[in-house]
Amino acid sequence: MAQKIIVTGGAGYIGTHTTVELQKAGFDVVVFDNFINSDPSSLDGVQRITGTKPELERVDCADDVAIADAFAKHSDAVGVIHFAALKAVGESVEKPLMYYQNNIRGLMNVLDNMNKHGIANIVFSSSATVYGVPDVLPVTEETPLKPATSPYGQTKVMGENIISDAVRANPNMRATLLRYFNPVGAHPSAEIGELPLGTPNNLLPYLTQTAAGIREVLSVFGDDYDTPDGFCVRDYIDINDLASAHVAALKHMLGGANGVNIFNLGTGRGVSVMELIKTFQDATGVKLNYKIAARRPGDVPAIWADATLANKVLGWRANVPLADTLRNAWKWQVKVCEKNN
Ligand code: NAD
Ligand code: UD1
């Protein structure tokens, strides 16, 4: 019988792509989501790709009673991938308690219920944000962490610490903390992709919405950084590559890897905002309206991953070329526009 995995936040951007990869790998997926930042129809997209709709529990991870009921129903699961969290940095500064309540309480409830039912394996969505402005590039998992600059970032640092303490106290438990760099793109089928609500804060959805004429112009934040071309540098990782890393992490734990394992998930290549814009234009043939604007406060000038550890230990590496990723993002954007018209 297939092994069951609980995917919290499984209806969201990374969760849907990971559900596809889990199903392809033969796992039985049950999604726990309260749709605070997604729509149930995203799971229809998953079904159109894999032929199987994941089982769904409409549940808030921060609701102690409801989440206990959901876990009791699925106590035969062998692992949890915990995506469920709020993720808007600016909003977290305005509403810190909402972020701690949702992200920290949700995580604590998940860990409590895992302990209660003897579910041993958890994969946690962390972020490169834990490295702050790094002193040395690229960053490895050994790079010192910097104090978080937002409540959102704080929930990731705290989440890593809470899980590490929980594993230390329970030798039967295993965890993998995945530090994502910048996830971008969509499934090549354009059945699933990123669906930001309102005005996007992140570069790629803003870029594709501008290319589609929904936004007038993309502001490029800063051209005077101490980087090769003066623009901010990031490590943009294809969403399908990112998703498959979760399957690799899970198999690593199910294969017996003990304790807490931490991996950077990136391509190992830094790409500037201008390089990304040019690659998008070349890959899609679409001309983008952009202007140079002031630096965005709080931006890290440059960060990219050393992903050697994940390559070595998980046998995983990022494969999809950036041009393909950007073409997939554009195909998804076009489809979303067609649906909305
Ligand atoms: P997303 O908002 O698309 O998906 C999150 C999902 O979790 C949504 O479906 C939402 O409805 C659900 N959710 C939120 N709170 C919940 C709760 N209390 N109970 C049940 N469901 C809840 O976000 P995403 O981009 O897929 O991010 C997934 C995870 O990865 C998050 O933890 C995020 O912080 C982390 N992360 C994302 C990025 C990124 O750039 N997308 C980068 C680093 C880390
Ligand atoms: C941001 C968050 C980070 C979070 C990540 C994923 C901040 C300071 N950091 O990272 O905590 O984990 O998103 O959700 O918010 N850019 C433009 N114009 C735009 C938008 C972005 O030029 O309209 C530039 C930015 O200056 C940056 C790059 O594009 O250099 C990527 O920005 P973004 O997609 O917001 O991601 P991060 O800032 O890396």
Side-chain angles (χ1 to χ4, degrees), residues 58-249:
R58 188 185 279 259
V59 61
D60 178 353
C61 295
D63 178 333
D64 309 12
V65 175
I67 193 79
D69 287 349
F71 264 96
K73 255 177 94 178
H74 298 284
S75 59
D76 55 334
V78 298
V80 175
I81 302 186
H82 184 54
F83 290 114
L86 296 171
K87 62 167 184 175
V89 176
E91 185 186 54
S92 80
V93 175
E94 285 158 27
K95 300 176 183 169
L97 298 185
M98 185 170 103
Y99 271 67
Y100 291 121
Q101 168 72 14
N102 194 73
N103 295 5
I104 299 299
R105 191 172 193 145
L107 171 64
M108 306 260 296
N109 283 344
V110 165
L111 291 170
D112 262 349
N113 283 284
M114 288 177 67
N115 276 336
K116 188 167 156 195
H117 296 290
I119 303 172
N121 306 291
I122 181 165
V123 179
F124 177 65
S125 299
S126 189
S127 165
T129 194
V130 300
Y131 296 116
V133 180
D135 298 323
V136 180
L137 287 166
V139 293
T140 72
E141 293 78 0
E142 302 298 315
T143 298
L145 306 191
K146 295 279 174 68
T149 53
S150 71
Y152 166 74
Q154 191 70 268
T155 67
K156 293 302 172 194
V157 176
M158 289 169 75
E160 289 199 0
N161 289 333
I162 290 168
I163 292 171
S164 302
D165 288 344
V167 171
R168 220 168 282 129
N170 178 358
N172 294 325
M173 202 167 172
R174 306 181 190 115
T176 306
L177 314 178
L178 298 179
R179 294 178 180 157
Y180 311 153
F181 281 66
N182 290 58
V184 287
H187 193 267
S189 64
E191 294 291 357
I192 51 175
E194 192 171 10
L195 257 190
L197 300 174
T199 310
N201 296 308
N202 294 117
L203 176 61
L204 207 67
Y206 206 104
L207 186 157
T208 56
Q209 289 193 7
T210 308
I214 300 167
R215 314 272 156 211
E216 201 183 322
V217 58
L218 170 73
S219 294
V220 174
F221 298 141
D223 65 348
D224 56 352
Y225 283 102
D226 185 16
T227 56
D229 63 4
F231 298 98
C232 273
V233 172
R234 294 288 183 275
D235 187 335
Y236 296 96
I237 172 159
D238 184 87
I239 186 67
N240 305 288
D241 278 337
L242 187 82
S244 67
H246 292 74
V247 179

Side-chain angles (χ1 to χ4, degrees), residues 258-280:
N258 283 322
V260 179
N261 286 273
I262 304 178
F263 299 105
N264 284 341
L265 295 182
T267 66
R269 192 165 83 89
V271 170
S272 81
V273 176
M274 196 47 68
E275 216 181 321
L276 187 114
I277 290 174
K278 295 215 165 109
T279 310
F280 175 84

